[in-house]
């Protein structure tokens, strides 16, 4: 776990629209901004698998696809993936063309299935089982990792950011020869929610396909203003 900080300044002046020395003037203060970072291992994998089939007619291509997609979904359930964690995320039927743009030579059907896996250690075996069920028609579209519930981690990062802001303000106060007063305001700076991290799939192994979840950083940024004495 790490903490970083930026944007430190000593502020003194007037509020917007106030005149110097007026009743609305802002008293001097110390403003700091700090970032708290917590690093954690993902606990959820999202794998997008596809089944792609081709045939001379759309009906035949759909039939073959349905059979293999059903087998793939059954393999996911057999590996412990709950039905609520399996969803069809795309289905397309497209013609294949010959030399001419009007010469249809057949049809291609693609069925995409998204599975949310809470057992990352078993993700490799799950992909292998899906591949065995769908055969050469299988497609591994993507594999990403995320943290299912980051509320505790975010609380840790928030506490670290606030503590770091206080440390910085104290250093500035000492350097300026003033005493650090009470907190005037604390604002959490809005940031992006961590995006799922792409995983690596290496399928040229004799054992179960290994997957590498790595780690993810969750950060919280706060701006804190202190009174000074």
């Amino acid at each position: 776990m790490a903490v970083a900080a930026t944007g430190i300044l000593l502020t003194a002046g007037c509020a917007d629209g106030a005149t110097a020395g007026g009743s609305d003037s802002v008293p001097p203060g110390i403003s700091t901004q700090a970032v708290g970072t917590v690093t954690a291992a993902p606990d959820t994998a999202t794998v997008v698998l596809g089944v792609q089939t081709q045939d001379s007619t759309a009906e035949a291509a759909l039939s073959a696809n349905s059979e293999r997609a059903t087998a793939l979904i059954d393999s996911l359930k057999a590996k412990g993936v709950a039905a609520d964690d399996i969803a069809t995320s795309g289905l397309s039927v497209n013609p294949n063309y010959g030399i001419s743009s009007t010469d249809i030579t057949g049809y291609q059907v693609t069925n995409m299935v998204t599975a949310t896996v809470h057992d990352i250690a078993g993700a490799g075996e799950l992909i292998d089982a899906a591949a065995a069920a769908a055969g050469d028609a299988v497609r591994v579209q993507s594999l990403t990792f995320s943290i299912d519930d980051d509320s505790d981690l975010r609380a840790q990062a928030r506490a670290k950011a606030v503590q770091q802001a206080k440390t910085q303000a104290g250093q500035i106060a000492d350097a300026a020869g003033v005493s650090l007063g009470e907190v005037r305001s604390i604002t959490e700076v809005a940031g992006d929610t961590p995006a799922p991290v792409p995983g690596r799939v290496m399928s040229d192994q004799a054992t179960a396909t290994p997957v590498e979840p790595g780690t993810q950083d969750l950060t919280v940024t706060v701006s804190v203003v202190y009174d000074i004495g």
Side-chain angles (χ1 to χ4, degrees), residues 75-213:
S75 74
L76 297 178
K77 293 178 179 178
K79 285 295 181 180
V81 181
D84 289 345
D85 289 331
I86 301 173
T88 298
S89 50
L91 177 64
S92 64
V93 181
N94 296 297
N96 293 325
Y97 295 97
I99 298 177
S100 170
S101 60
T102 60
D103 180 21
I104 297 178
T105 60
Y107 291 85
Q108 177 176 283
V109 177
T110 303
N111 190 343
M112 307 302 297
V113 176
T114 299
T116 302
V117 183
H118 299 287
D119 175 21
I120 289 184
E125 292 184 2
L126 182 144
I127 292 173
D128 289 343
D136 293 340
V138 73
R139 303 289 185 270
V140 180
Q141 184 74 11
S142 66
L143 173 66
T144 57
F145 297 100
S146 60
I147 298 173
D148 184 42
D149 183 0
D150 64 3
S151 56
D152 288 343
L153 296 173
R154 190 170 293 278
Q156 294 177 38
R158 187 175 289 117
K160 287 180 175 293
V162 171
Q163 183 58 50
Q164 181 67 7
K166 181 179 181 180
T167 299
Q168 293 172 178
Q171 293 170 351
I172 295 173
D174 290 343
V178 297
S179 59
L180 190 65
E182 298 295 323
V183 173
R184 184 183 303 171
S185 67
I186 300 179
T187 304
E188 183 170 328
V189 180
D192 295 332
T193 300
V197 176
R200 293 184 295 164
V201 180
M202 299 172 288
S203 58
D204 57 346
Q205 308 292 323
T207 57
T209 298
V211 295
E212 302 291 339

Side-chain angles (χ1 to χ4, degrees), residues 45-61:
T46 301
V47 57
V48 181
L49 302 168
V51 175
Q52 190 174 85
T53 55
Q54 300 184 63
D55 214 309
S56 57
T57 67
E59 181 181 4

